[in-house]
Amino acid sequence: MTAAFLHHGGRLAEAAARFGGAPGDWLDLSTGLNPVSWPLDRAPPCDWSALPDPGALAALEHAAGRSFGADPAVVCAVPGSETALRLLGLLLGAPGRALVPAYRTHAEAFATSRPIAFGETPARAETVVLANPNNPDGALRSSAEILDWSTRIAGAGGWLVVDEAFADCHPEASVAAQAGVRPELIVLRSFGKFFGLAGLRLGFLLGPPPLLARVRALVGSWPVHAGALAIGRAAYADAAWIAATRAELPRRAAALDAVLRRHGLMPQGACPLFRYVTGCDAAGLFERLAAARILTRPFSERPDALRLGVPAASAALARLDRALAHGAGDG
Amino acid sequence: MTAAFLHHGGRLAEAAARFGGAPGDWLDLSTGLNPVSWPLDRAPPCDWSALPDPGALAALEHAAGRSFGADPAVVCAVPGSETALRLLGLLLGAPGRALVPAYRTHAEAFATSRPIAFGETPARAETVVLANPNNPDGALRSSAEILDWSTRIAGAGGWLVVDEAFADCHPEASVAAQAGVRPELIVLRSFGKFFGLAGLRLGFLLGPPPLLARVRALVGSWPVHAGALAIGRAAYADAAWIAATRAELPRRAAALDAVLRRHGLMPQGACPLFRYVTGCDAAGLFERLAAARILTRPFSERPDALRLGVPAASAALARLDRALAHGAGDG
């Protein structure tokens, strides 16, 4: 297993180069992206020639804020929530704290970062980063638990950054409505995962107005491209698609769980876009699935854990089922 | 004249709201964007669903570096050169210095910034930002002059940032080949102006490896979107289109110059994407052209100066000619 697969998901070209086949032959279960994307033909045509219009940016932020249940005035579009995390590491200055396990950028975005347990009150001003639901283990915390923690972190002079990149299926657990209300709470949202359009690089930072002003000054007058404006605005306004997808994703995740359990694997997590399996020989399982051209997500610090994206099509699930049953060579 | 038009060009929706008509009725001469865009049908199809591939990012940076005459290893793609300027203001720390007149972000990107004359040696470590050709006045400096200045700025412990956003027509004046060689020289390039695709938000930062590593860490694993990767790579590799456009743009600029001179205006500047007119009643001229649904670019600090983009079509030039001859009402 090469280092590339331990860093981020979605490295199909490298997988094909390492294990064979063309990238198109592979079933990519290495990410938490919805494989059934929002239909692009519902978006208006995109004008790449002009500078993005400030009114279109405001309209995108408004549609996104409504979808998040947040005040649109505290929503700032950014070129990907991963980039926003890194900007925050620089802007906030304070040392970082991140859960274990966590999305790797939660620690990387800070010059120094130490682990923290959920709910632990920091002794000093630090920037705590939490994903809800968490990535990779899918742990879901209630908004009440998170807001209680936020109060205690703020009491120590610190910030809480809640990365809600995978929260679209859990509106009840979101704290987006408190963004701009609590002066030390920052919420990040991601467009690409739930809508299955990660190539767009569109995210949002929600927070108190003084911080938002600094972020806007840093990303400048045209923070996102014309395609993100056109597609993002239409997708966030598509309440019917959002509702149908919120209903469908848990059904797909349940079907994956049944397959994993049949092969003695114990799936964890509340997020219907991925499942976390622990207590397995992750390197062996990764290689066995890779031999069947199925890419999954291993972790350098957890040799017993593997994350699997949730397939949409029954054919993809059956292919995973066969690969788990018989090992390499028949995927 | 409202403040929006003094801030940046390209505010057609606001122009229509203020002066009437639909945005589509307007002739936009408020930017320095090539109105004849690189043909998008020459780009491969874009996959918005997957995370952008690291190999595609490397290929884009390679194609861009070759086009700039620079070492591709020192080329870092960024989500717009305007955003890169703002990141530099934060990363470099030193106070800023900018020419007068200059692109407004050259001063705004820094917590403090003072004017500087071209060639003036700073007394201490500062970050000097220069556009070549300069925006808005179109002044073009030779690479020898710029490298001489770079040596003296570096001698004071400072940085020189050369914003080559409009340099595609002047390869002989570019200092991109020295990026990565001189440790205190940074070069910015912009995709959207010459290729007429500003909605893509694609730029490049070229500089010494230690700084590049910090910029890459800040923008993260997916600095630009899938459309920028597909379109940017194909466009920079399209040597025939680039050569034809380098030949055509000066012809269009000469045609605009003839019209301006016929109406007693004295166009300045070497950049064939825009012209700078001084010694005029800019507010009056702006309003008169706006009444004919032609948007130009005024400047709050220079009430005697107006910038005009270079039209491509003879009909657009004839419309400008009529508006200059007869004033409002017949545009």
Side-chain angles (χ1 to χ4, degrees):
Chain A
M1 183 165 25
T2 63
F5 309 115
L6 296 164
H7 194 80
H8 279 303
R11 302 288 162 92
L12 274 195
E14 285 167 90
R18 166 76 181 76
F19 295 99
D25 302 335
W26 281 71
L27 171 60
D28 187 5
L29 302 183
S30 70
T31 74
L33 306 178
N34 182 355
V36 182
S37 306
W38 181 76
L40 288 170
D41 57 10
R42 296 187 191 177
C46 167
D47 176 9
W48 290 115
S49 63
L51 282 164
D53 180 68
L57 176 63
L60 167 67
E61 291 174 344
H62 191 86
R66 282 180 61 105
S67 180
F68 305 152
D71 176 2
V74 303
V75 176
C76 174
V78 290
S81 63
E82 206 248 354
T83 298
L85 267 167
R86 293 168 180 272
L87 298 180
L88 284 175
L90 196 65
L91 280 178
L92 299 180
R97 305 291 300 270
L99 297 190
V100 177
Y103 182 57
R104 65 181 296 131
T105 306
H106 289 182
E108 274 187 7
F110 295 83
T112 64
S113 180
R114 294 184 302 133
I116 193 168
F118 181 76
E120 178 189 338
T121 306
R124 54 188 179 135
E126 293 174 314
T127 300
V128 178
V129 187
L130 161 79
N132 194 44
N134 194 35
N135 174 13
D137 65 7
L140 183 69
R141 274 86 184 196
S142 73
S143 57
E145 286 176 292
I146 289 171
L147 293 177
D148 170 67
W149 198 21
S150 155
T151 302
R152 289 182 286 113
I153 293 165
W159 293 88
L160 176 61
V161 179
V162 186
D163 180 353
E164 296 189 349
F166 288 102
D168 299 72
C169 292
H170 308 282
E172 76 293 346
S174 171
V175 295
Q178 290 294 311
V181 178
R182 295 183 169 230
E184 295 88 4
L185 177 68
I186 299 166
V187 178
L188 297 176
R189 302 287 300 221
S190 171
F191 176 76
K193 294 163 182 77
F194 178 76
F195 290 95
L197 294 167
L200 216 60
R201 308 313 304 143
L202 174 62
F204 299 89
L205 188 150
L206 294 74
L211 176 73
L212 273 195
R214 293 176 66 205
V215 172
R216 289 191 198 276
L218 194 54
V219 295
S221 299
W222 305 283
V224 297
H225 58 95
L229 294 178
I231 295 168
R233 178 184 180 181
Y236 278 119
D238 191 345
W241 188 92
I242 291 171
T245 301
R246 276 188 188 145
E248 172 63 15
L249 287 171
R251 287 195 284 267
R252 289 188 219 151
L256 172 62
D257 286 348
V259 166
L260 293 173
R261 288 204 185 94
R262 186 152 67 232
H263 297 286
L265 300 169
M266 298 299 291
Q268 300 174 28
C271 179
L273 287 162
F274 58 83
R275 283 297 188 252
Y276 192 58
V277 173
T278 57
C280 64
D281 167 19
L285 192 52
F286 174 88
E287 299 264 350
R288 190 145 61 94
L289 293 172
R293 311 274 191 270
I294 298 174
L295 188 63
T296 56
R297 177 70 162 87
F299 300 90
S300 53
E301 66 282 9
R302 282 294 302 259
D304 69 323
L306 201 65
R307 193 189 67 192
L308 295 93
V310 176
S314 56
L317 193 59
R319 180 172 162 185
L320 176 68
D321 194 11
R322 286 195 305 275
L324 288 170
H326 303 295
D330 54 355
Chain B
M1 185 168 15
T2 63
F5 310 114
L6 296 164
H7 194 80
H8 279 303
R11 302 288 162 92
L12 273 196
E14 286 167 89
R18 166 75 180 77
F19 295 99
D25 301 336
W26 281 70
L27 171 60
D28 188 4
L29 302 183
S30 72
T31 74
L33 307 177
N34 182 354
V36 182
S37 305
W38 181 78
L40 288 170
D41 57 10
R42 296 187 190 177
C46 166
D47 177 10
W48 290 116
S49 63
L51 282 164
D53 180 67
L57 176 63
L60 167 66
E61 291 174 345
H62 191 86
R66 282 178 62 105
S67 180
F68 305 152
D71 176 2
V74 304
V75 176
C76 174
V78 291
S81 62
E82 207 249 352
T83 298
L85 267 166
R86 293 169 180 273
L87 298 180
L88 284 175
L90 197 64
L91 280 179
L92 298 181
R97 304 291 299 270
L99 297 191
V100 177
Y103 182 58
R104 66 181 297 129
T105 306
H106 288 182
E108 274 188 7
F110 296 82
T112 63
S113 180
R114 293 184 302 132
I116 193 168
F118 180 76
E120 178 189 338
T121 306
R124 53 188 178 137
E126 292 175 315
T127 301
V128 178
V129 187
L130 162 78
N132 194 45
N134 193 35
N135 174 14
D137 65 8
L140 183 69
R141 274 86 184 196
S142 73
S143 57
E145 287 176 291
I146 290 172
L147 293 176
D148 170 68
W149 198 20
S150 156
T151 302
R152 288 181 287 114
I153 293 165
W159 292 88
L160 176 61
V161 179
V162 185
D163 181 353
E164 296 189 350
F166 289 102
D168 300 72
C169 292
H170 307 282
E172 75 294 345
S174 171
V175 295
Q178 289 295 310
V181 178
R182 295 184 169 228
E184 295 88 3
L185 177 68
I186 298 166
V187 177
L188 297 175
R189 302 287 300 221
S190 171
F191 176 76
K193 294 162 182 75
F194 179 76
F195 290 96
L197 294 167
L200 217 60
R201 308 313 303 143
L202 174 61
F204 299 88
L205 188 150
L206 294 73
L211 175 73
L212 274 194
R214 293 176 65 204
V215 172
R216 289 191 199 277
L218 193 54
V219 295
S221 298
W222 305 284
V224 298
H225 58 95
L229 294 178
I231 295 168
R233 178 184 180 182
Y236 278 118
D238 191 345
W241 188 92
I242 291 171
T245 301
R246 276 188 188 145
E248 172 62 15
L249 287 171
R251 287 195 284 268
R252 289 188 219 151
L256 171 63
D257 286 349
V259 166
L260 294 172
R261 289 205 184 93
R262 185 152 67 231
H263 298 285
L265 300 169
M266 298 299 293
Q268 299 175 27
C271 180
L273 287 162
F274 57 83
R275 282 299 188 251
Y276 192 58
V277 173
T278 56
C280 64
D281 166 19
L285 193 52
F286 174 89
E287 299 263 350
R288 188 145 61 93
L289 293 172
R293 310 275 191 269
I294 298 173
L295 188 63
T296 55
R297 176 71 162 89
F299 301 89
S300 54
E301 67 282 8
R302 282 294 302 259
D304 69 323
L306 202 65
R307 193 189 65 192
L308 294 93
V310 176
S314 58
L317 193 59
R319 180 173 164 185
L320 175 68
D321 195 10
R322 287 195 305 276
L324 288 170
H326 304 295
D330 54 353

